[in-house]
Amino acid sequence: MKVTKEFLKELQDFAQDISYEAGEILLKYQKKRHELIINHKGTEGIASEADDKSEEYIISEIKEKFPEHTILSEEDFNQNKDMTYQKAQDSEFCWVIDPLDGTNNFVNGIPIYAVSIALLNKGKPIVGVVYNPTSGECFFASKGQGAHLVDFRINPLKRYTLLVEENDKDMKDCIFSPAPNYATDKSFEQQLSVFKKNILGCRAVRRLGSAALELCYVANGNFDGYWEKNLKPWDVAAAGLICIEAKIELTDFDGKRYTPFDNSFLAAANPLHDKILGKIKN
Ligand code: IPD
Ligand code: CA
Ligand code: CA
């Protein structure tokens, strides 16, 4: 099926509408966060009732509107053994969902979390929305149409274009958002060494706890660079497209161009991206 501009717009509007409604669900659960049932998923972190309710809502809306599309969604994936990354990549259309990115923040009452919804066309993102319901920031992009931000709290009708074509700042002027992940053993040591090499001499470091928002903040020029390992497609499918459409260089730690199914991610505009990559590799 040909993805026309009109179809992209329809998909984009739909993804934005359901992100907004899922955000309303999260806000409702945030008010009773002390009563939430928490599910400990071992190395996969935690999930709460809010994650499940947001996911149930998003999946039911997609199934109703696009019954023939495939869905790869974090909590559902952990239970649904029929779904695989390969299936997601092979499908003509596959929605990739993180119903709540930043669950640790959410359950601790830190207002930095997001709904992340992307649509892949044969494995490649064509639509992405990342919505933080507490700040009202809604980042979105569709393939070839640029990346944008609407701030629902301030003015839902004003749309800002995100474009960071280059970043030639000195390290001493940069704010980075690196995230050494909870990997065990050697990989953790290696991540700490990458962390140390890159933050030495930079102006400041911020770790937000939502990979999707951290990537969007690079696309919005708030952060100069972000890198993290061991992420999942639902963390990066929407925000990755938003970065690419904002002309941010997005690769893995070997310099290979981004796909949502990679394991490591480095986002920054060039020439800064290549400087950071050089330190990661050495
Ligand atoms: C997590 C967040 C966090 C990242 C973790 C992710 P979740 O997602 O994006 O920033 O460091 O690797 O798992 O579990 O809150 O959806
Ligand atoms: Ca996540
Ligand atoms: Ca999640």
Side-chain angles (χ1 to χ4, degrees):
M1 182 180 175
K2 194 165 182 301
V3 182
T4 60
K5 234 173 151 176
E6 292 68 35
F7 187 40
L8 264 184
K9 170 88 176 75
E10 183 192 336
L11 294 161
Q12 173 76 80
D13 289 348
F14 169 72
Q16 250 176 296
D17 289 349
I18 59 174
S19 302
Y20 184 81
E21 292 304 329
E24 292 292 296
I25 295 174
L26 295 182
L27 289 176
K28 200 177 91 200
Y29 277 90
Q30 178 58 207
K31 287 193 186 132
K32 44 181 179 180
R33 71 180 171 89
H34 296 290
E35 297 156 33
L36 288 181
I37 301 161
I38 312 285
N39 171 21
H40 292 263
K41 303 185 290 180
T43 52
E44 301 297 311
I46 57 166
S48 73
E49 227 177 315
D51 300 66
D52 294 336
K53 295 294 177 205
S54 167
E55 180 173 78
E56 269 168 42
Y57 165 76
I58 296 166
I59 292 183
S60 75
E61 291 295 310
I62 293 173
K63 281 192 170 158
E64 195 182 321
K65 184 142 172 100
F66 300 109
E68 69 289 2
H69 290 187
T70 309
I71 297 174
L72 173 67
S73 185
E74 182 175 13
E75 310 311 331
D76 179 67
F77 178 75
N78 290 328
Q79 276 141 47
N80 175 0
K81 297 297 166 221
D82 289 343
M83 192 56 197
T84 61
Y85 289 176
Q86 195 55 52
K87 223 178 191 172
Q89 282 166 281
D90 293 343
S91 302
E92 185 175 24
F93 293 107
C94 178
W95 293 88
V96 182
I97 303 157
D98 193 334
L100 169 46
D101 186 49
T103 301
N104 278 311
N105 287 347
F106 185 87
V107 299
N108 283 279
I110 301 167
I112 304 173
Y113 54 86
V115 177
S116 170
I117 301 180
L119 178 63
L120 312 189
N121 177 214
K122 296 182 190 125
K124 300 209 169 85
I126 55 169
V127 165
V129 176
V130 175
Y131 175 52
N132 177 350
T134 57
S135 69
E137 291 162 305
C138 182
F139 298 92
F140 56 96
S142 45
K143 191 164 185 262
Q145 308 304 311
H148 300 93
L149 165 65
V150 166
D151 198 325
F152 284 117
R153 303 272 141 157
I154 295 176
N155 184 354
L157 300 176
K158 188 149 173 60
R159 203 169 100 141
Y160 300 89
T161 298
L162 312 181
L163 192 63
V164 191
E165 269 170 302
E166 64 164 34
N167 189 340
D168 58 3
K169 282 185 194 169
D170 271 359
M171 285 286 188
K172 68 172 174 23
D173 297 319
C174 290
I175 300 188
F176 292 136
S177 177
N181 220 316
Y182 338 100
T184 50
D185 62 42
K186 250 163 87 190
S187 154
F188 188 60
E189 290 303 320
Q190 187 200 14
Q191 287 184 63
L192 280 182
S193 126
V194 164
F195 180 79
K196 203 166 138 191
K197 276 192 266 182
N198 274 297
I199 66 161
L200 271 177
C202 80
R203 188 197 291 164
V205 173
R206 302 282 181 268
R207 216 277 105 153
L208 299 188
S210 159
L213 283 173
E214 285 167 307
L215 280 163
C216 289
Y217 287 149
V218 177
N220 193 31
N222 308 106
F223 290 148
D224 297 293
Y226 160 84
W227 60 92
E228 184 164 0
K229 251 187 120 155
N230 302 329
L231 291 172
K232 298 286 168 51
W234 41 81
D235 298 315
V236 293
L241 179 66
I242 292 164
C243 279
I244 285 169
E245 288 293 324
K247 305 279 185 246
I248 293 292
E249 193 72 22
L250 181 57
T251 66
D252 71 2
F253 286 2
D254 290 321
K256 183 179 79 55
R257 291 200 80 177
Y258 159 84
T259 87
F261 298 90
D262 296 329
N263 175 260
S264 56
F265 299 86
L266 164 63
N270 258 328
L272 185 62
H273 172 279
D274 289 359
K275 258 197 234 171
I276 302 172
L277 183 64
K279 292 194 192 184
I280 289 182
K281 282 181 161 175
N282 292 314

